[in-house]
Amino acid sequence: MRVTIVRKPIKNMYLRIKPPNADIVVSAPQRMAAGAVERFVAERKPWIERARRTMLQARDAQIAAQNASEGGFRRMNDSIGTGMAGTGDSGSHGPSDDPHAYPHTFVWTDENKARARRSIESQLPALLEKWQPIIGRGPTHITLRVMTSRWGSCTPRTGRIRLNLQLGLMAPRFLEYVLVHEMTHLWENGHGEGFQRRMSAYLPQWRQLRREINRHVVL
């Protein structure tokens, strides 16, 4: 089981199973002993295995569904590593257990990117016309790109928003949710009470949409 350990200026350890390949990433205090990190991971091994299995199954089901409905995807053998967050020096430990256990991997092609870009660009004008008056602020620039771990991001200082191209291959409600989410960051940097209050006012069903989109795997 491959584990990635990242040292940070924090007090506690945090474990994360990172999509799309269910990598195990552990964030750990800078001075915490490696043995403490190993115990942290070992104690959570059953949960880690269940979480990885669930994520990988969801990923494969999603890829199969997109492959059937959209076409243009290639499949290839890909070794799947597991990453774990914990305390210890930055680095990874051990190879993937079975490089062919989950062989289906989404591969972005020029055709897929172009189709996703056209889809998003065709929806953005109407969405911005709808939401800028409601939110009271609008992005200075929107960039579409392939992202591996998030649906979007925002730099409030510059007003720039980045959206995951994958949103162009998904149901339109997810693009709208992510856009509203990132535009709300033009007012609120974090996800605290102020952010949640604004999201509830703008998009009352935002929590349900968040649950739905988080069932998908970022490819």
Side-chain angles (χ1 to χ4, degrees):
M1 185 169 66
R2 180 181 169 190
V3 176
T4 298
I5 301 170
V6 181
R7 294 287 187 171
K8 295 183 177 182
I10 54 179
K11 294 183 179 180
N12 299 307
M13 285 186 284
Y14 298 92
L15 173 73
R16 186 160 76 104
I17 309 300
K18 183 179 177 181
N21 292 333
D23 297 321
I24 309 166
V25 182
V26 176
S27 299
Q30 293 172 336
R31 296 181 178 276
M32 185 165 287
V37 180
E38 293 175 2
R39 288 193 298 274
F40 178 82
V41 172
E43 291 170 358
R44 290 156 179 80
K45 185 176 180 181
W47 177 88
I48 292 169
E49 291 176 341
R50 288 195 303 271
R52 290 197 70 243
R53 184 165 54 249
T54 298
M55 180 175 291
L56 290 168
Q57 289 172 347
R59 182 201 65 175
D60 286 351
Q62 182 181 339
I63 291 171
Q66 289 182 327
N67 189 40
S69 62
E70 298 290 345
F73 299 103
R74 291 187 289 119
R75 292 185 176 190
M76 58 188 243
N77 286 332
D78 181 41
S79 63
I80 306 302
T82 59
M84 178 173 297
T87 57
D89 296 330
S90 296
S92 58
H93 305 280
S96 148
D97 294 330
D98 183 356
H100 302 294
Y102 297 92
H104 303 319
T105 300
F106 177 91
V107 177
W108 278 105
T109 65
D110 290 342
E111 179 186 353
N112 295 334
K113 292 178 182 178
R115 183 171 61 248
R117 184 176 297 276
R118 286 195 302 269
S119 175
I120 294 175
E121 290 178 343
S122 69
Q123 297 176 69
L124 278 179
L127 289 173
L128 291 170
E129 183 179 1
K130 172 183 177 180
W131 287 106
Q132 283 185 157
I134 295 173
I135 294 174
R137 290 186 179 179
T140 59
H141 185 76
I142 294 179
T143 301
L144 308 180
R145 62 173 61 166
V146 173
M147 298 181 176
T148 60
S149 62
R150 61 181 66 187
W151 299 111
S153 64
C154 175
T155 305
R157 181 177 55 84
T158 63
R160 298 176 70 90
I161 285 175
R162 290 154 293 278
L163 299 174
N164 191 328
L165 264 182
Q166 188 180 339
L167 293 166
L169 304 178
M170 299 167 67
R173 67 181 183 277
F174 296 131
L175 172 61
E176 183 171 34
Y177 161 70
V178 174
L179 180 64
V180 172
H181 180 116
E182 301 308 335
M183 288 176 68
T184 301
H185 280 308
L186 296 173
W187 288 105
E188 303 285 345
N189 284 329
H191 296 94
E193 291 184 6
F195 175 86
Q196 295 178 43
R197 184 168 56 250
R198 287 182 179 274
M199 284 294 292
S200 295
Y202 302 150
L203 199 64
Q205 72 275 28
W206 71 275
R207 288 184 174 85
Q208 175 61 31
L209 289 167
R210 181 181 62 183
R211 285 192 291 271
E212 290 180 13
I213 197 171
N214 283 340
R215 295 190 187 108
H216 291 70
V217 176
V218 179
L219 301 172

